[in-house]
Amino acid sequence: MLRPPREPSVAGIMVIGVAASTALSRPGPAEVAAAAGILALHLLTFDPGFDAARRRDLRALLPVAALNAAPYAVAALLLEPAAGPLAAAALLFLAASAAVLVLGPRSPLTYVLGSLVPALPALSIPSALGILTPEAAVFWLLYALYTTATAAYIESRMPHREFKPWAALAIWAPALPAGLAYDPLLALALAEPTAKFALNAAKPSKVPREGIRRLGVLELARLLAFTAVSCAILSLA
């Protein structure tokens, strides 16, 4: 049941998101250790859970879901979690899981909606520990929109997929008013992804098969840059 994710992007999204949101929540040593432990559990059970969802195998999915929910049940008993954001993360997880079960493994939407799941620990973990700050919440919103829009962007560029090139820009669009309303300086972080998604919508292109791996590496580098700039600005708020 326990194994690291096959896809490096899954581990990257989880680790980068949780590290950034936890840092913005200004944790103590105990919170850092707890966040690392919950993150490790999510990493080691992601593939078994996602594989069970793709197979529509509820008997395999439910134990994995229960194992991942256990730390939050403990936190609810021992700590003072941020109930609203934690409930939002749970509802988003259930919605994404249901969509995967309904759409099946071959739908491009399965990949796009499923990409939201690795971003959820960046919200759920600080919320469960009761340390979520407004800056961390804003970061998570932008981060979740970024990772989901990027999944749509990659799907639209796959040579063997037929996915609307404007979908990434549509998913990303709420990030602009949300981010700029909180801090206009976030325009520095929002500019590059906005330009990327807009250009893809206006002039869509497919990546050759031999360029798929390079595209994945490039998008991971872009995710790191987006996170670094966003966190630098939000840490000054």
Side-chain angles (χ1 to χ4, degrees):
M1 181 178 291
L2 302 178
R3 62 176 185 268
R6 289 185 299 269
E7 292 290 335
S9 61
V10 169
I13 290 171
M14 278 199 197
V15 172
I16 293 168
V18 171
S21 65
T22 303
L24 287 169
S25 296
R26 304 174 182 90
E31 286 88 359
V32 171
I38 300 172
L39 173 60
L41 174 63
H42 292 334
L43 282 169
L44 293 173
T45 57
F46 181 88
D47 274 5
F50 195 63
D51 290 346
R54 287 171 48 168
R55 296 193 309 269
R56 303 178 184 180
D57 185 352
L58 289 177
R59 291 183 63 184
L61 179 60
L62 289 177
V64 178
L67 184 60
N68 278 270
Y72 301 101
V74 173
L77 292 172
L78 301 180
L79 304 173
E80 295 182 2
L86 192 57
L91 289 173
L92 287 170
F93 173 78
L94 291 173
S97 299
V100 171
L101 288 169
V102 171
L103 293 169
R106 290 185 173 83
S107 171
L109 278 174
T110 297
Y111 176 73
V112 173
L113 295 174
S115 69
L116 175 62
V117 176
L120 289 177
L123 176 65
S124 65
I125 291 177
S127 298
L129 299 177
I131 59 173
L132 185 74
T133 60
E135 295 81 16
V138 170
F139 166 76
W140 175 80
L141 176 62
L142 300 180
Y143 190 77
L145 290 170
Y146 183 96
T147 55
T148 310
T150 297
Y153 167 79
I154 291 173
E155 281 294 293
S156 74
R157 299 205 60 198
M158 291 293 99
H160 54 287
R161 296 283 204 184
E162 292 299 328
F163 197 73
K164 300 299 184 182
W166 49 261
L169 184 61
I171 294 169
W172 174 247
L176 299 176
L180 296 176
Y182 188 80
D183 190 336
L185 284 177
L186 283 170
L188 297 173
L190 302 174
E192 192 277 336
T194 301
K196 177 181 69 177
F197 298 140
L199 180 62
N200 188 59
K203 295 182 178 180
S205 64
K206 297 291 187 180
V207 65
R209 289 185 180 275
E210 61 272 16
I212 292 176
R213 186 178 183 84
R214 180 177 179 276
L215 178 63
V217 173
L218 176 61
E219 290 308 316
L220 180 59
R222 283 171 161 167
L223 176 65
L224 284 167
F226 172 78
T227 301
V229 175
S230 298
C231 286
I233 294 168
L234 289 169
S235 65
L236 299 174

